[in-house]
Amino acid sequence: LINLSLLLLKILMWNRKHLLDIDAFSRDDIENLIGLAGRLEPFSGIDKSKKFKPLGLCRGQIMTLWFEPGKENSTRTFGSFPAAMMRLGGSCKVFDETTSSMMKGESLEDTTRILSGHSDVIVDRHRDAGHVYTVASVSSVPVINAGNGSAQHPTQTLLDLYTMVKKFGRIEGLKVAVVGDLKFGRTVHSLVKGLEKFGVHATGICPQGLEMPGEFRTSGYEERIIDMNDTGQALSELKPDVVYATRIQAERFSGNSEKYNYVINKKVLSMLPKNAAIMHPLPRISELSREIDSDERSVYFH
Ligand code: CP
């Protein structure tokens, strides 16, 4: 526990106040966090056979969850942040704009000033990519980006990198394919940038119209624009260690999104290396066939 506390202190003394995007992290920062996560995982409560005892590292601290209602729905992020906070001995409250004085015209800035007075940390998810930056510019406490529109999802990337380390023991040297909606999928934007810090240049596989925006392309990033019916063929040629699939973010564009649909099924899996990892930030819709859930390469529920 003393070692864990020292590690946590090291992270807290880390001179960046907010966690807004993956760009702010060096490779050392990420390695430190992955190391810390590995040491905290036994206390996460995931192993139900072990009696859980809160760690107390965040005792007395309050987290405010600020998730834009109705527009940026969430299961994992909205659930895992408070679970982690409570496992660490802290507590949480939810801020709902629709029942707040923002409905009477109170500004975003004033609302943030008040909320940061009540809290020790604010976790923000909003459809407007700039929202979290405005909140951070006014907040007197650290602000964590839990997904800003179609821009980034840095904490998902930390988890994804952790998952790769658990599966392969390393990140450097991995061949990673990011597949699907590379335009609106914020998780792949952060991931491609995060991987580059480890010298990994991801390859994008996507349909025409859903290419990776220029601002998220790293120097070694390559992209293959394909008919998504040929996803298996493209992956069999690439032979990636990691297939990172994404949902088509239908809620982020108008028009027919179904034309972009694709599926990773047993047939596609049969074309992949035996030790590959199939990852996905979830939720999945139809792009991961249920028939591959039991394959040991499927790690999206880990
Ligand atoms: N991965 C992820 O961010 O999922 P939610 O949208 O359910 O939080």
Side-chain angles (χ1 to χ4, degrees), residues 280-291:
H280 190 301
L282 304 177
R284 66 168 159 191
I285 308 303
S286 56
E287 61 281 358
L288 296 178
S289 168
R290 272 62 178 167
E291 69 185 20

Side-chain angles (χ1 to χ4, degrees), residues 3-290:
N3 279 342
L4 282 170
S5 304
L6 287 174
L7 264 171
L8 195 73
L9 206 61
K10 197 170 153 191
I11 301 293
L12 292 176
M13 284 164 62
W14 182 45
N15 62 7
R16 286 173 203 88
K17 190 175 160 197
H18 305 295
L19 197 170
L20 301 178
D21 49 46
I22 202 70
D23 314 71
F25 291 88
S26 68
R27 177 178 171 152
D28 274 356
D29 294 331
I30 295 173
E31 284 175 341
N32 277 334
L33 284 167
I34 286 174
L36 177 63
R39 299 179 78 168
L40 288 174
E41 192 181 322
F43 302 93
S44 67
I46 285 173
D47 183 350
K48 307 297 177 214
S49 67
K50 295 209 173 90
K51 202 168 172 218
F52 172 72
K53 210 169 158 219
L55 269 181
L57 295 174
C58 292
R59 189 176 295 127
Q61 307 274 302
I62 296 174
M63 172 184 280
T64 290
L65 296 164
W66 188 343
F67 281 57
E68 187 185 17
K71 303 289 183 194
E72 286 290 345
N73 295 340
S74 168
T75 296
R76 276 141 291 275
T77 319
F78 188 73
S80 59
F81 268 101
M85 190 60 173
M86 290 186 273
R87 296 291 192 199
L88 292 169
S91 52
C92 296
K93 64 189 177 72
V94 174
F95 174 67
D96 180 351
E97 289 173 21
T98 63
T99 57
S100 79
S101 288
M102 288 185 91
M103 295 294 109
K104 299 182 226 164
E106 189 163 29
S107 70
L108 173 57
E109 288 80 0
D110 286 357
T111 303
T112 302
R113 286 184 185 101
I114 300 303
L115 287 180
S116 62
H118 296 161
S119 323
D120 298 290
V121 60
I122 295 173
V123 177
D124 184 281
R125 174 178 283 197
H126 206 280
R127 138 191 74 155
D128 169 10
H131 185 273
V132 73
Y133 290 94
T134 306
V135 170
S137 72
V138 181
S139 173
S140 58
V141 297
V143 176
I144 297 175
N145 178 3
N148 57 329
S150 53
Q152 288 210 31
H153 195 342
T155 61
Q156 175 72 45
T157 292
L158 294 172
L159 168 64
D160 293 334
L161 296 175
Y162 179 66
T163 301
M164 288 179 202
V165 169
K166 284 202 76 175
K167 164 88 181 172
F168 297 101
R170 63 190 162 87
I171 297 168
E172 55 274 59
L174 293 178
K175 197 186 263 191
V176 179
V178 292
V179 183
D181 184 350
L182 309 183
K183 182 175 182 181
F184 298 109
R186 58 190 168 205
T187 60
V188 283
H189 300 161
S190 309
L191 182 61
V192 165
K193 283 175 167 255
L195 286 168
E196 199 201 25
K197 295 174 195 292
F198 293 82
V200 173
H201 306 302
T203 302
I205 294 176
C206 63
Q208 190 163 32
L210 295 182
E211 299 91 345
M212 178 82 67
E215 64 190 290
F216 302 117
R217 287 173 185 248
T218 53
S219 57
Y221 174 78
E222 286 178 8
E223 199 163 79
R224 296 187 190 179
I225 297 169
I226 63 161
D227 176 335
M228 293 306 278
N229 292 317
D230 299 332
T231 301
Q233 180 62 29
L235 289 172
S236 75
E237 287 166 15
L238 196 63
K239 295 189 178 35
D241 301 298
V242 176
V243 176
Y244 192 93
T246 59
R247 174 177 68 88
I248 305 299
Q249 309 261 312
E251 73 277 23
R252 300 199 192 277
F253 53 90
S254 53
N256 175 20
S257 63
E258 286 180 12
K259 64 181 177 188
Y260 297 123
N261 284 356
Y262 69 101
V263 65
I264 297 179
N265 52 20
K266 273 190 177 169
K267 189 173 168 213
V268 172
L269 229 56
S270 72
M271 301 185 215
L272 291 174
K274 293 276 174 279
N275 191 37
I278 312 299
M279 297 178 64
H280 190 301
L282 304 177
R284 66 168 159 191
I285 308 303
S286 56
E287 61 281 358
L288 296 178
S289 168
R290 272 62 178 167

